[in-house]
Amino acid sequence: MYQPAVSTLNGNQLEIKNRQAVKSLEGYIPVLKVLENGNVIKTQILKPLKLEAGQSTTLDVSPYLPKMKADAEYILNIEFQFSKEELWASKGYAVAEDQFILKKRETVSPESKKETLNVSESDSDFKIKGKTFDITIGKTNGALSSYIFNGEEQVFAPLLPNFVRPLTDNDKRGWKSQKLLKQWYKAKPKLVNISIDKSASEIKIISDYEVIKDSASVKVIYNILPNGLIKVDYSLKASDKLPNIPKIGMQMGVKRSFDQISWYGKGELENYSDRSFGSFVGRFSLPINDFIEHYPKPQENGNRCDVRWMALSTPQKNNGFLVVNDTKVLSMSAWPYTQENLSSSGHTYDLKDPGFLTVNIDLIQMGVGGNDSWTLVAQPLEQYQIKSGNYEYSFYLTPFSGSKNQLENSLKKFKY
């Protein structure tokens, strides 16, 4: 991606290089923005730099940085904005941008009230009941199958391991990932064991899956806290002799009316591991129809990388379902269709609303590729593919309901 100025940060020293062949940078206004947990807390407009073409300079940014809290993440953005109206862009339009993480947040254990959990077991499931919720983990699939919160169902498709995506044009017509990686496309996780541990203050339900016989297995642990918060621990063990993995993650369905998607991660447009250089981390919110991409040929779409949290809610953000990362950032998307429907549809008029939103909560997804779109060269570059091996990640799930913008109150539990 070309931009007239590029910046790198070493400590508090920001090195700025003019990449232009002729023009100085003095026609642009440098603007620094400091973000705390995705919110802009400071904007500093600097004087234009009389930096000639091909030259570099260094700026000490420490005078512009705030005192940083231990439990918050801080990010520095630099923009070079037009100082006047142009034929094709307005004054203030950013023609060059870079972003740097100043400080990562310390791991925060979410708050949990000391309440009593009631556990019951039948031949078909485990049921965990609290003051405002009823959670069901099925014994046939080992999955979170129901979460009734304040009398209303939140889960409309079970939370299950998922290793593939709807084929993109590059996948299907180019490098044919469904053939080269066919063991993963054919894999259907089979529950081989489920157990419960009630020894601690929280309830643990452990589901073990066979994914590819003698070659790949998944363990999912549901840690259910007294306040209804669920921490999901996912662990994949896969032989390094297997082909690369299309994606590593889990998929579920949530309430259809939760069609406002808010997130803290890369955005605003969809982005992938090899399509994210121009996407910056921040807080964004879009209705589902704008969140997804309406490709003429239905396919994978709508992913967001480096997600710290994502909420699916009503437009007023007073009711919804929140997904929060643990120590590793997530790769997430949501669709008003099922994955099977996206994969089998030849045209947009074949897409059917299933009555719920499909939510993908992934650790990682392979890149889009596309150096061409008709041969093996269409596959993602090696650094954007996922080698078969062992992977772990965790995330939290919690519904929320209350007054206007209850989402913000829910995020406070995680110090966001």
Side-chain angles (χ1 to χ4, degrees):
M1 185 179 73
Y2 176 79
Q3 53 184 17
V6 63
S7 304
T8 54
L9 185 67
N10 295 301
N12 289 331
Q13 302 301 307
L14 187 67
E15 183 179 344
I16 301 166
K17 182 175 182 179
N18 183 352
R19 297 179 66 193
Q20 298 178 113
V22 177
K23 293 177 65 178
S24 164
L25 287 184
E26 61 184 330
Y28 307 116
I29 300 173
V31 178
L32 297 177
K33 294 181 180 179
V34 180
L35 285 71
E36 180 184 87
N37 289 336
N39 297 304
V40 176
I41 60 169
K42 184 173 184 179
T43 300
Q44 184 71 45
I45 300 173
L46 305 177
K47 293 181 179 179
L49 299 174
K50 293 183 179 180
L51 189 63
E52 298 304 317
Q55 299 300 305
S56 299
T57 189
T58 300
L59 173 68
D60 183 5
V61 298
S62 55
Y64 311 114
L65 303 182
K67 184 178 180 180
M68 301 185 197
K69 303 172 187 174
D71 57 2
E73 179 179 49
Y74 291 88
I75 292 174
L76 176 68
N77 290 352
I78 181 169
E79 300 177 0
F80 287 87
Q81 301 178 356
F82 277 134
S83 59
K84 61 181 181 179
E85 296 286 326
E86 299 289 345
L87 288 174
W88 59 276
S90 60
K91 180 181 178 181
Y93 178 82
V95 292
E97 298 175 272
D98 284 294
Q99 184 175 73
F100 310 97
I101 295 179
L102 296 170
K103 178 191 156 307
K104 293 184 178 180
R105 71 198 298 258
E106 295 178 1
T107 302
V108 175
S109 297
E111 302 169 2
S112 179
K113 297 178 181 178
K114 292 183 178 180
E115 297 176 355
T116 303
L117 289 175
N118 295 313
V119 182
S120 60
E121 180 179 354
S122 68
D123 292 339
S124 60
D125 54 43
F126 294 103
K127 290 187 182 295
I128 299 90
K129 183 178 178 62
K131 188 175 180 180
T132 59
F133 62 88
D134 290 271
I135 294 170
T136 302
I137 308 292
K139 285 188 173 181
T140 55
N141 57 13
L144 172 65
S145 301
S146 173
Y147 194 130
I148 297 175
F149 179 63
N150 288 338
E152 295 190 11
E153 182 63 78
Q154 310 292 307
V155 176
F156 288 81
L159 179 63
L160 287 167
N162 185 33
F163 298 95
V164 298
R165 66 187 183 192
L167 295 172
T168 66
D169 284 342
N170 286 340
D171 294 340
K172 187 175 184 178
R173 302 179 183 184
W175 66 294
K176 297 176 174 57
S177 61
Q178 72 276 23
K179 294 182 179 179
L180 289 177
L181 314 180
K182 65 180 179 181
Q183 283 152 290
W184 293 107
Y185 281 89
K186 289 184 176 181
K188 295 191 182 302
K190 176 185 175 183
L191 184 69
V192 294
N193 187 60
I194 185 168
S195 60
I196 186 168
D197 181 355
K198 297 182 279 187
S199 61
S201 59
E202 61 191 46
I203 304 297
K204 288 181 183 286
I205 296 178
I206 302 101
S207 299
D208 293 293
Y209 298 89
E210 179 185 78
V211 179
I212 299 174
K213 189 172 178 60
D214 300 324
S215 298
S217 63
V218 165
K219 181 187 291 291
V220 177
I221 302 175
Y222 294 98
N223 305 274
I224 303 169
L225 280 65
N227 62 354
L229 181 68
I230 302 177
K231 184 188 179 193
V232 181
D233 298 322
Y234 172 107
S235 175
L236 167 68
K237 292 186 177 180
S239 168
D240 59 9
K241 294 180 174 57
L242 289 170
N244 291 343
I245 310 172
K247 73 189 293 190
I248 297 167
M250 302 189 76
Q251 187 181 89
M252 68 183 299
V254 303
K255 206 170 180 180
R256 183 61 180 87
S257 59
F258 295 163
D259 57 4
Q260 183 73 25
I261 316 300
S262 306
W263 73 101
Y264 174 27
K266 286 199 169 184
E268 178 179 60
L269 301 177
E270 72 169 16
N271 49 84
Y272 291 81
S273 58
D274 59 352
R275 296 289 193 283
S276 68
F277 185 79
S279 298
F280 286 169
V281 173
R283 286 188 60 164
F284 307 96
S285 188
L286 291 170
I288 188 67
N289 197 52
D290 295 333
F291 180 84
I292 63 174
E293 288 292 335
H294 301 267
Y295 291 106
K297 167 68 174 71
Q299 57 191 285
E300 162 66 35
N301 72 89
N303 191 71
R304 302 303 193 275
C305 295
D306 294 358
V307 174
R308 281 73 164 161
W309 57 260
M310 181 176 285
L312 301 97
S313 71
T314 56
Q316 299 80 16
K317 301 180 184 177
N318 58 337
N319 295 293
F321 200 80
L322 177 63
V323 182
V324 181
N325 79 315
D326 185 30
T327 58
K328 298 175 182 177
V329 291
L330 304 172
S331 178
M332 291 191 63
S333 61
W335 310 313
Y337 317 109
T338 65
Q339 180 163 305
E340 293 73 20
N341 188 203
L342 277 169
S343 298
S344 63
S345 296
H347 305 279
T348 52
Y349 57 71
D350 295 320
L351 295 171
K352 307 299 180 186
D353 192 321
F356 61 84
L357 295 181
T358 299
V359 184
N360 295 290
I361 310 169
D362 304 327
L363 171 63
I364 189 172
Q365 180 182 156
M366 66 181 177
V368 176
N371 283 344
D372 75 16
S373 59
W374 58 91
T375 72
L376 192 62
V377 178
Q379 68 183 311
L381 297 176
E382 184 178 358
Q383 63 265 38
Y384 301 116
Q385 296 201 38
I386 307 168
K387 297 290 185 184
S388 183
N390 300 339
Y391 295 86
E392 295 180 348
Y393 76 113
S394 300
F395 55 90
Y396 295 91
L397 302 174
T398 182
F400 59 90
S401 177
S403 57
K404 186 177 179 181
N405 208 1
Q406 180 65 22
L407 170 59
E408 296 302 322
N409 292 331
S410 298
L411 287 170
K412 288 177 182 176
K413 298 177 185 177
F414 299 90
K415 301 294 178 69
Y416 275 120

